[in-house]
């Protein structure tokens, strides 16, 4: 198996830009995942986020998780569990309106650093979308506009911990799925592994690396690129020792954004007579995804074709 793609963003400034852009293009087309170093988010900020996230889990989440495990008798399971995941999570919303001040049990230092971290991640997500536009031959800003809708994008962070699991062969940290949204930026534990993606029918480890940001593409980018870029199945394997931290930040379209293949890409593909992906309102897709997250994505796309006739165009760039 070839090496997992690691992108040094420092190389975008200088004579290595062309080869770095080609590396990003290959990662988007053939992996659906890549890992960023020198991404511009200060290491001290990431260290503080990690320290406070792990401290919050110990103080506020660990006992609740142990009680959940006990209540469902998960310690002694003998058969594979297929309807739940071995994870402890909460969700922070940043855009269009932040909920950080309302989330219970967070101390002020944690709230403050997560707001600052979210601003940095939002900027990085938008920078990455423009790099994708450049590689795709779309005008700068096209993907950001496609996600915008009438109130701007949805942006939030799923804060997860994957505690030590006595039976990782019987219960997944997180079952295989593709992500429904746009572009996902992950700050993961650099010591405890577990994240894997499916490539050519083989599960491949996403390597833990200190101060890196792992990027993966969601279903919406597959639709907008008409399948040129793919969202990829991934999962988390629970470990018997070590608690894995994961902060996955989802930069997604606004609820009323109308998502459809970019016309400029369809023009290029006209002679190939490729199957065209559906057009839909993002919120309609999310309602469908909620019940089908752990199933194949292709039937979701087919189901969205059935509602396509009712979609009216939103305020979106078409060039």
């Amino acid at each position: 198996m070839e090496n997992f793609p690691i992108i040094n963003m420092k190389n975008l400034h200088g004579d290595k830009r062309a080869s770095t852009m080609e590396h990003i293009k290959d990662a988007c087309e053939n992996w659906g995942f890549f890992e960023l170093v020198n991404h511009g988010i200060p290491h001290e900020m990431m260290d503080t986020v990690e320290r406070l996230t792990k401290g919050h889990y110990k103080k506020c989440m660990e006992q609740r998780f142990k009680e959940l495990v006990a209540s469902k008798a998960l310690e002694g399971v003998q058969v594979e569990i297929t309807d739940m995941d071995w994870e402890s999570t909460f969700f922070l919303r940043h855009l269009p309106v932040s909920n950080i001040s309302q989330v219970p049990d967070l101390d002020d230092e944690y709230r403050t650093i997560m707001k600052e971290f979210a601003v940095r991640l939002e900027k990085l997500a938008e920078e990455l979308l423009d790099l994708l536009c450049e590689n795709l031959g779309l005008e700068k800003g096209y993907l950001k506009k496609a996600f915008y809708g009438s109130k701007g994008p949805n942006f939030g962070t799923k804060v997860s911990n994957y505690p030590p699991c006595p039976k990782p062969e019987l219960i997944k940290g997180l079952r295989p799925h593709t992500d429904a949204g746009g572009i996902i930026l992950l700050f993961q534990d650099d010591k405890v592994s577990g994240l894997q993606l499916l490539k050519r029918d083989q599960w491949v480890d996403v390597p833990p690396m200190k101060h890196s940001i792992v990027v993966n593409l969601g279903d919406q980018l597959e639709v907008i690129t008409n399948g040129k870029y793919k969202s990829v199945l991934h999962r988390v394997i629970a470990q018997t020792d070590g608690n894995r931290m994961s902060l996955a930040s989802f930069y997604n379209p606004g609820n009323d954004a109308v998502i459809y293949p970019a016309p400029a890409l369809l023009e290029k593909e006209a002679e190939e007579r490729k199957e065209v992906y559906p057009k839909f309102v993002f919120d309609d897709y999310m309602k469908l995804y909620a019940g089908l997250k752990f199933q194949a994505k292709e039937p979701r796309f087919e189901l969205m074709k059935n509602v396509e006739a009712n979609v009216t165009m939103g305020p979106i760039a078409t060039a």
Side-chain angles (χ1 to χ4, degrees), residues 279-304:
K279 178 193 298 179
F280 51 80
V281 175
F282 177 64
D283 195 45
D284 290 340
Y285 187 84
M286 289 306 290
K287 287 172 184 166
L288 179 70
Y289 179 85
L292 302 173
K293 173 176 177 176
F294 297 109
Q295 297 179 31
K297 64 187 170 181
E298 290 79 10
R300 296 199 292 264
F301 294 146
E302 284 302 313
L303 285 167
M304 294 316 294

Side-chain angles (χ1 to χ4, degrees), residues 186-198:
L186 170 70
F187 174 29
Q188 66 167 348
D189 206 291
D190 63 284
K191 294 183 180 67
V192 183
S193 63
L195 178 61
Q196 298 181 326
L197 65 94
L198 192 65

Side-chain angles (χ1 to χ4, degrees), residues 226-250:
N226 203 46
K228 189 173 180 66
Y229 294 172
K230 294 278 199 299
S231 61
V232 169
L233 272 176
H234 52 284
R235 68 182 184 181
V236 176
I237 298 296
Q239 306 295 323
T240 52
D241 56 355
N243 181 40
R244 176 176 176 268
M245 178 199 77
S246 160
L247 292 93
S249 297
F250 299 81

Side-chain angles (χ1 to χ4, degrees), residues 40-42 44-49 51-52 92-94 98 100 108-124 155 157 213 247 249:
I41 299 176
E44 306 76 43
M45 176 181 282
M46 298 178 81
D47 290 341
T48 304
V49 168
R51 174 175 60 81
L52 294 176
L92 299 175
R93 190 174 65 246
H94 313 304
S98 173
I100 289 180
D108 289 344
E109 186 186 10
Y110 195 24
R111 288 183 210 275
T112 300
I113 196 72
M114 288 306 290
K115 282 181 182 173
E116 292 172 5
F117 189 45
V119 170
R120 295 280 191 160
L121 288 166
E122 178 191 352
K123 180 173 174 284
L124 180 58
F155 185 46
T157 300
I213 296 287
L247 292 93
S249 297

Side-chain angles (χ1 to χ4, degrees), residues 20 32 50 77 90 101 106-107 123 151 169 171 187 192 225 239 263 298:
T20 304
E50 180 172 0
V77 293
F90 64 97
S101 59
L106 304 184
D107 61 38
K123 180 173 174 284
K151 295 177 182 162
E169 71 282 3
I171 183 164
F187 174 29
V192 183
T225 65
Q239 306 295 323
E298 290 79 10

Side-chain angles (χ1 to χ4, degrees), residues 135-156:
N135 270 337
L136 289 162
L138 297 171
E139 66 173 321
K140 186 175 182 180
Y142 180 89
L143 290 170
K144 184 179 175 182
K145 286 179 199 161
F147 283 16
Y148 202 83
S150 63
K151 295 177 182 162
N154 283 301
F155 185 46

